Amino acid sequence: MSFLRNISSGLRSLFRKEQVDRELDEELRAYQEMATDEKMKQGMSRKEALRAVRLEQGSPELTRQVLWSERWESLVEMCWQDLRFGLRMLRKSPGFTLVAVLTLALGVGVNTSIFSAFDSVALKPLPVKDAHDVVRLQRWFASGAMGDVQYDFSYPEYLYYRSQNHAFLGLIAASWPGQALATAPSGSETGSTAPHELLPLQCQLVSENYFSVLGIRMEFGQAFAGGEERAPVSNPVIVLSYPYWRGQLNGDREVIGKTLEVNGTSLTVIGVAPEDFIGTGNPPEVPDFWAPLEMQTKLEPQNDWLHEPSNQPLQIVGRLAPATSIDQAQAETEVLIRRFEQDHVEKDQTIGLTLHRATYFGVTDELWFRAFAAGLMAVVSLVLLVACVNLANMSLARGASRTKEIAMRLALGAGRGRLVRQLLTESMLLALMGGLAGLLFSLWATRLEWIGLVRLIHVLLGSRILVAPLTVDIRVLLYTLVVSLVSGVLFGLWPALQSSKASVSDALKAEGSGYGQPPSQSRFRSFLVGGQVAVSMVLLISAGLVLRGVAKAQGAKPGFETRSVFHLSFSLGNDPGKATILKRQIMARLQTLPEISEVALANRLPYAGTSTRPLLVEGNHATAKGVPHETLINYVSPTFFAALSIPVVRGRNFTPQEADANIPVAIVSEATARNAWPGEDPVGKRLKLDLRFDGKWKEFEVVGVARDVRFTNISRVDPAYVYLPGDPSQSNGLLIRSARSPRDTVAAIRTSLESFDRSLLPTLGFLSLDNFMHSQEFVPQAAAILTAILAFLAVALGAVGLYGVMAYVVTQRTREVGIRLALGASKSDVLRLLVRQGMLPVIGGAGCGLVLSAAVSGVLHAVLVSPGMPDLLFGVSSFDPAVYAGLTALLAGVGLLACAVPARRAMRVDPMIALRYE
Amino acid sequence: MPDKSSDLVQGTLDMLVLKTLALEPMHGHGISVRIEQMSKGVFRPNAGSLFLAIQRLQRDGLIDGEWKPTENNRRAKYYVLTQKGRKRLNSETQEWGRQAAAIARILEAS
């Protein structure tokens, strides 16, 4: 009760200050009057009485002040005063304020945009109801295999968990996105597409409780009800995704009830998902439509992978039952998986299971993602640091110019803490203004950076990613606020402490601060300048290297034929033995076609994923430096090299017998041969590969050497590549070499296959290898965008900061300059002196920056050890002298300008005026 | 001449003011006079600390103030003890008694 009274009375004295003061005055005066009266009664004259009373009472002003300072509202009023004073001071120096706010906006803005991207990817929960209850299942294999395969479960497994569990309110299964060739819904105006044209659509097969467990309400129509799974034949239904509906069907409102034709089956559209539902992710792709699992055979007539127990095509996501913790659910699911495995033989045993909260990017706990994210955050934090250092410098300089004012206040009795608090308020004001500007800036920049980032991730992940809707949510706002405040303290505290140390006598003695400054202060400032130059240097050099690499990328050639080579894919059913036979027959048929010159098999396609295996090289140099310990492998048919025009430069090609009989021979790439057996003939040598990651090495004899190509990444020649003879069972479709146009070629193939087996036709996929290369174009684009932004920031911040500081320092020395000129020094002498002293920290910083850059390059280089990693530098040496020299010169030039311009301005001042300058 | 009134500990002055007001509602000056009277001249609170005490007591809800005309037809703020104030006075008096007795015991020890 008294607390409330306290608050209300305090508020009253804050807002009705005058009234409260008047009342107090009145009371004091009344007191005074009565005391006077009393004294007069005792015999004094009025005048004497009044005087005596006044002596006793003390000054009413003092009383009022003491009363005021006792209460809490004085603190509030002081803060308010500080704010207003701070604003006024900032308004007085608009140049400083503008530069500071811009600098901070850049620094904070970049941080915020990276964070919001990270937030969208890793932190934001799935766009479903009560997302914190939704978890994804991940299994761990005895073989230690990691990656996407950890999220694979079979349909029988799913059914088992679903029926046996108690920990989940609902379990849903979703297939990996697949492609279906479909005709557009009948009767709709699609505009761009002609009727009956087959379009590849992304579809995802999901359990019928998918939408209900996730709590998604359809935008139009309805979701799957229970019945579809039981009666798939009679009632094939699908749900469209919003982007597809909006984009390809132009938002046709009459779409419910229309049908899509896939593989001869009509699928009825029963609903459209809401705009913000983009699927359950992993991979983060939005399918064009969802279909119930039981319709799998309708969509892919050749295969029945749903009931194949060894096939694991589904991801399982579950919603925790109320009051069940994630650990409880995990424990139960582990028990279930063990029980299941007792009855079913697994080729790779599952040794563990974990549940983790489902995010849109399922793989956020993988090492490379974490490293990538950490690296990115580190870089932008560096940028922010540069900004803060800049500002600290400028604040210090500004503080030094207010020495007199501060000294005066100290002399009048202000406590040091009070001054520090007031100076810090100014910094905080700047920080908050900068933070706000930064937030606005990031809203705009995030779009741009996201595109660059998405492309980069696309390449690393190798899958098609749709831009997830980037919204600014509370997390991002909080982050911005925190970053702003931290920056404010960072760049404000030290200058505030420094400035408030002003010695009273020195300041009042009208000495130019050129003399009065304690050496430690100017040394610290030089140190700050140097540090800033160093950081700018690192950023610049990294950017320069990447941009140089991008330039080089323009001319990068894969080294093998891509235009006349096509990838033919089709579905041959579940039985692997039968499929192999079919494939051989198809190969034989196609080989006879006049349009086709070569038909080849390959397990790995260019720019579409990697297979890396540990490698052991036999020979004297087995343990020498430079010998590869890991290599990329590919199972290929003997016709592979001819089809892709990769010449076998030494030794010989595989024979068809070797391919069929799985004989342990190998063909290595030139680079592999060079590194493994330098100076020796690799033909006849032996190497060992651990094909199953189980420590069992299989020995191979090298029979040939193939020319080096850029098969895995356009950015670098494959550092180590071993080709192994492969049979049709290991291949991924067929590679067709044809000199004719794609249309002619595919027509010929269709005709040929039609007479062979009609049912293959709907599943045919035909793509030129050129298409595969497109994904590689994004790397330079993404790199260019990102690094251009960073480099610009680095230079801008560095230059601005340098200029600000130098300008201030030179201005402070105007008096000194005047004296020197008056004593007879020539203008150029003085100019040289100023510039030389100003450039000293710049040179020092540049030197440190070079060393740092070298270190960073070394780290980046270490990443390239894995043969499958793309080289962001496109082969540019990380110690490229042109880049280093050029950029050092650039930064030095900028520094020189920053020193020279203010110095020249000082020169032009008349010495007489300079002498009198204070 | 500065008066040689003994320095009153802050809390003690509060207590005395409460006691004074317990006897009858009064304005600031009246309280000062009454305290001087009751203490037979030992305590003479100066205006500053007295007003501080009054404001504090008012803030804490122990006394209530009201503007009223005085005998001489002037306006003064009369203060009155609240229920809370009465309770506080009792507890403070008890506490003071305990402390005083304890000190006396110590001083008399030989």
Side-chain angles (χ1 to χ4, degrees):
Chain A
M1 195 34 209
S2 65
F3 179 67
L4 280 173
R5 264 184 87 127
N6 203 341
I7 300 285
S8 66
S9 135
L11 284 173
R12 185 164 169 267
S13 42
L14 265 179
F15 292 112
R16 298 245 182 290
K17 192 150 193 254
E18 285 162 24
Q19 196 180 9
V20 170
D21 279 347
R22 231 183 313 133
E23 277 186 20
L24 197 58
D25 267 347
E26 219 180 311
E27 209 180 329
L28 284 172
R29 223 177 324 131
Y31 183 96
Q32 207 178 54
E33 291 283 322
M34 282 188 259
T36 315
D37 281 348
E38 202 192 304
K39 288 241 185 316
M40 273 169 44
K41 270 193 221 139
Q42 291 173 359
M44 296 188 186
S45 75
R46 183 166 173 89
K47 214 166 132 200
E48 284 172 355
L50 215 57
R51 188 164 166 275
V53 164
R54 281 221 191 97
L55 272 175
E56 263 181 27
Q57 218 184 36
S59 134
E61 177 65 40
L62 188 63
T63 315
R64 217 181 325 136
Q65 282 298 329
V66 172
L67 266 177
W68 179 252
S69 63
E70 263 220 346
R71 307 200 196 136
W72 61 263
E73 54 263 25
S74 63
L75 203 65
V76 172
E77 203 201 26
M78 264 199 284
C79 287
W80 179 243
Q81 264 180 347
D82 282 347
L83 268 171
R84 283 172 57 205
F85 186 73
L87 273 171
R88 223 182 316 142
M89 293 278 36
L90 289 178
R91 230 202 322 243
K92 264 187 155 177
S93 34
F96 171 77
T97 313
L98 194 67
V99 168
V101 170
L102 274 178
T103 313
L104 273 172
L106 281 176
V108 172
V110 166
N111 258 277
T112 303
S113 54
I114 295 289
F115 180 77
S116 65
F118 178 72
D119 176 61
S120 287
V121 163
L123 295 179
K124 225 196 256 200
L126 285 181
V128 301
K129 188 165 83 117
D130 291 335
H132 50 268
D133 280 336
V134 178
V135 296
R136 203 191 295 277
L137 269 65
Q138 183 185 21
R139 70 206 304 172
W140 299 87
F141 292 105
S143 70
M146 301 244 279
D148 283 343
V149 69
Q150 289 182 275
Y151 298 94
D152 289 337
F153 294 84
S154 67
Y155 189 54
E157 269 184 296
Y158 166 65
L159 290 175
Y160 185 74
Y161 297 154
R162 201 163 105 175
S163 57
Q164 300 287 325
N165 85 86
H166 302 284
F168 293 102
L169 205 55
L171 268 182
I172 56 180
S175 73
W176 296 88
Q179 252 195 15
L181 289 169
T183 53
S186 51
S188 61
E189 320 98 58
T190 47
S192 52
T193 60
H196 305 308
E197 181 165 325
L198 280 176
L199 299 162
L201 294 181
Q202 289 278 92
C203 70
Q204 197 175 27
L205 296 161
V206 295
S207 53
E208 101 281 17
N209 58 356
Y210 186 71
F211 293 104
S212 57
V213 167
L214 291 177
I216 310 291
R217 290 184 57 105
M218 293 290 114
E219 187 80 16
F220 301 110
Q222 49 181 300
F224 306 131
E228 285 90 20
E229 295 208 42
R230 264 54 93 195
V233 180
S234 54
N235 194 14
V237 295
I238 58 172
V239 169
L240 301 178
S241 72
Y242 194 89
Y244 173 69
W245 174 75
R246 200 23 1 114
Q248 305 308 116
L249 301 179
N250 290 328
D252 177 11
R253 297 199 151 237
E254 308 290 315
V255 73
I256 309 291
K258 296 228 175 92
T259 59
L260 234 72
E261 276 255 346
V262 175
N263 293 337
T265 314
S266 291
L267 303 167
T268 317
V269 177
I270 58 165
V272 175
E275 186 171 6
D276 57 355
F277 181 65
I278 45 180
T280 38
N282 196 26
E285 298 185 24
V286 184
D288 293 316
F289 67 86
W290 290 276
L293 274 176
E294 286 295 346
M295 281 200 225
Q296 184 262 307
T297 43
K298 294 247 145 270
L299 290 168
E300 239 181 295
Q302 269 67 39
N303 268 328
D304 183 5
W305 44 254
L306 216 53
H307 296 105
E308 178 80 21
S310 60
N311 208 349
Q312 297 174 323
L314 302 171
Q315 295 177 41
I316 301 184
V317 168
R319 182 182 286 284
L320 293 171
T324 313
S325 77
I326 215 176
D327 296 317
Q328 289 174 299
Q330 188 168 304
E332 189 194 72
T333 325
E334 277 202 356
V335 168
L336 287 178
I337 207 175
R338 255 173 248 300
R339 260 195 260 150
F340 185 84
E341 290 207 327
Q342 278 170 3
D343 306 326
H344 302 77
V345 171
E346 300 279 348
K347 53 179 159 71
D348 195 348
Q349 223 215 348
T350 306
I351 53 172
L353 194 86
T354 48
L355 266 58
H356 47 94
R357 303 225 182 272
T359 52
Y360 199 56
F361 256 74
V363 289
T364 53
D365 52 355
E366 285 198 5
L367 203 61
W368 69 261
F369 180 82
R370 290 224 170 127
F372 179 70
L376 214 56
M377 293 298 273
V379 168
V380 289
S381 304
L382 261 182
V383 171
L384 186 63
L385 199 67
V386 168
C388 283
V389 166
N390 240 335
L391 278 170
N393 240 345
M394 294 205 284
S395 298
L396 255 184
R398 194 154 164 273
S401 72
R402 292 162 69 177
T403 329
K404 277 226 203 90
E405 170 212 333
I406 290 175
M408 194 80 67
R409 294 165 88 194
L410 281 173
L412 283 174
R416 187 155 170 231
R418 180 86 176 79
L419 275 177
V420 170
R421 201 174 43 220
Q422 198 260 303
L423 288 170
L424 208 56
T425 312
E426 273 181 49
S427 311
M428 287 305 195
L429 266 176
L430 274 176
L432 285 172
M433 285 198 281
L436 195 65
L439 192 63
L440 296 172
F441 167 74
S442 82
L443 287 177
W444 166 77
T446 307
R447 204 100 254 266
L448 194 69
E449 285 182 19
W450 181 244
I451 295 173
L453 261 178
V454 161
R455 299 255 169 100
L456 200 59
I457 298 174
H458 175 152
V459 168
L460 292 173
L461 266 186
S463 63
R464 187 187 99 170
I465 295 175
L466 210 66
V467 175
L470 273 185
T471 50
V472 174
D473 56 24
I474 189 74
R475 263 184 307 269
V476 172
L477 286 173
L478 266 173
Y479 179 79
T480 311
L481 189 66
V482 167
V483 168
S484 308
L485 289 176
V486 167
S487 322
V489 170
L490 250 170
F491 79 77
L493 195 60
W494 177 259
L497 287 173
Q498 281 290 87
S499 309
S500 54
K501 254 198 277 183
S503 150
V504 179
S505 51
D506 276 350
L508 291 177
K509 258 194 266 169
E511 298 250 314
S513 321
Y515 303 138
Q517 240 167 32
S520 65
Q521 215 185 63
S522 44
R523 220 183 329 193
F524 184 70
R525 190 156 356 106
S526 312
F527 184 68
L528 280 183
V529 169
Q532 188 179 295
V533 171
V535 172
S536 298
M537 192 85 211
V538 174
L539 287 175
L540 256 184
I541 289 191
S542 315
L545 285 174
V546 174
L547 285 175
R548 190 120 192 285
V550 166
K552 222 171 162 191
Q554 301 309 321
K557 295 244 176 298
F560 56 89
E561 179 62 40
T562 54
R563 270 250 318 243
S564 344
V565 183
F566 305 91
H567 179 240
L568 184 71
S569 58
F570 38 76
S571 171
L572 286 176
N574 260 348
D575 180 357
K578 196 156 156 263
T580 311
I581 298 174
L582 277 173
K583 224 181 248 183
R584 279 193 215 277
Q585 291 179 319
I586 294 174
M587 275 179 79
R589 278 186 91 85
L590 292 178
Q591 194 81 55
T592 62
L593 290 177
E595 290 91 345
I596 294 179
S597 37
E598 290 288 350
V599 178
L601 299 166
N603 169 252
R604 278 265 164 233
L605 299 173
Y607 313 121
T610 62
S611 298
T612 323
R613 295 289 185 278
L615 169 73
L616 261 186
V617 156
E618 269 195 337
N620 316 343
H621 308 274
T623 47
K625 251 184 27 161
V627 170
H629 296 288
E630 259 194 324
T631 178
L632 295 156
I633 63 165
N634 202 351
Y635 291 93
V636 301
S637 68
T639 43
F640 176 81
F641 299 98
L644 289 179
S645 294
I646 303 178
V648 176
V649 292
R650 279 188 87 96
R652 60 169 181 80
N653 199 346
F654 300 130
T655 63
Q657 291 80 8
E658 282 170 338
D660 290 334
N662 240 313
I663 300 198
V665 290
I667 295 180
V668 300
S669 71
E670 283 175 316
T672 322
R674 236 195 336 264
N675 290 322
W677 303 283
E680 298 175 16
D681 184 1
V683 177
K685 294 270 191 301
R686 310 190 106 76
L687 54 85
K688 292 202 203 144
L689 291 171
D690 180 3
L691 290 171
R692 259 178 276 279
F693 294 108
D694 53 6
K696 300 203 194 22
W697 299 91
K698 190 164 172 201
E699 201 177 79
F700 294 85
E701 183 192 338
V702 178
V703 298
V705 181
R707 165 114 342 129
D708 273 332
V709 291
R710 299 173 185 240
F711 197 80
T712 314
N713 291 299
I714 192 75
S715 52
R716 64 202 288 225
V717 168
D718 299 311
Y721 215 100
V722 172
Y723 301 90
L724 301 173
D727 62 63
S729 65
Q730 289 159 312
S731 77
N732 182 349
L734 291 178
L735 287 172
I736 310 282
R737 173 77 179 260
S738 160
R740 301 288 192 80
S741 73
R743 180 163 293 195
D744 289 344
T745 317
V746 74
I749 294 176
R750 283 187 90 101
T751 324
S752 172
L753 288 180
E754 202 164 6
S755 48
F756 175 71
D757 182 354
R758 282 205 92 141
S759 59
L760 283 178
L761 287 183
T763 63
L764 272 186
F766 192 76
L767 277 176
S768 152
L769 284 194
D770 264 346
N771 285 42
F772 289 72
M773 273 187 58
H774 285 325
S775 68
Q776 294 285 306
E777 282 169 5
F778 296 147
V779 175
Q781 275 180 20
I785 294 176
L786 282 176
T787 48
I789 294 176
L790 285 176
F792 164 72
L793 281 174
V795 174
L797 290 177
V800 163
L802 260 179
Y803 181 82
V805 170
M806 297 320 299
Y808 167 72
V809 167
V810 164
T811 323
Q812 289 304 101
R813 296 174 74 177
T814 310
R815 232 173 128 215
E816 176 195 338
V817 167
I819 293 178
R820 284 184 192 264
L821 287 176
L823 284 177
S826 73
K827 289 209 170 168
S828 55
D829 279 340
V830 183
L831 189 69
R832 230 178 309 139
L833 173 76
L834 285 175
V835 169
R836 199 179 34 181
Q837 289 190 352
M839 284 298 285
L840 222 56
V842 174
I843 305 283
C848 287
L850 280 174
V851 171
L852 260 176
S853 304
V856 168
S857 303
V859 167
L860 282 178
H861 217 70
V863 173
L864 287 179
V865 164
S866 170
M869 285 292 289
D871 180 4
L872 283 176
L873 294 183
F874 274 77
V876 170
S877 151
S878 37
F879 298 105
D880 189 287
V883 170
Y884 276 66
L887 288 173
T888 313
L890 177 70
L891 212 57
V894 169
L896 203 65
L897 255 169
C899 295
V901 171
R904 287 205 61 191
R905 227 170 346 135
M907 292 297 105
R908 266 177 269 170
V909 176
D910 182 2
M912 285 314 293
I913 300 175
L915 275 171
R916 279 187 241 127
Y917 185 84
E918 275 181 30
Chain B
M1 198 172 66
D3 43 298
K4 265 198 73 195
S5 59
S6 331
D7 283 336
L8 265 173
V9 177
Q10 205 185 49
T12 330
L13 179 58
D14 287 1
M15 196 172 57
L16 295 181
V17 168
L18 286 176
K19 178 65 184 180
T20 315
L21 289 178
L23 300 177
E24 79 174 296
M26 200 161 293
H27 52 66
H29 184 252
I31 297 175
S32 164
V33 166
R34 184 59 70 85
I35 291 181
E36 199 186 336
Q37 259 179 15
M38 291 201 290
S39 67
K40 299 224 192 334
V42 175
F43 292 135
R44 193 113 155 285
N46 79 11
S49 32
L50 181 65
F51 267 98
L52 267 175
I54 290 177
Q55 295 299 331
R56 218 183 1 256
L57 291 171
Q58 212 179 9
R59 198 37 106 74
D60 291 342
L62 300 174
I63 62 178
D64 252 341
E66 206 188 329
W67 284 95
K68 284 213 203 104
T70 64
E71 313 93 41
N72 307 3
N73 258 333
R74 291 208 179 90
R75 267 171 51 92
K77 204 165 182 195
Y78 279 78
Y79 293 98
V80 79
L81 202 61
T82 62
Q83 184 73 306
K84 199 166 166 212
R86 211 170 288 278
K87 270 192 248 168
R88 177 69 70 85
L89 177 60
N90 285 336
S91 61
E92 294 254 324
T93 316
Q94 279 180 10
E95 182 61 28
W96 177 259
R98 262 188 20 169
Q99 289 185 0
I103 294 176
R105 243 176 296 143
I106 297 173
L107 290 177
E108 281 166 17
S110 49

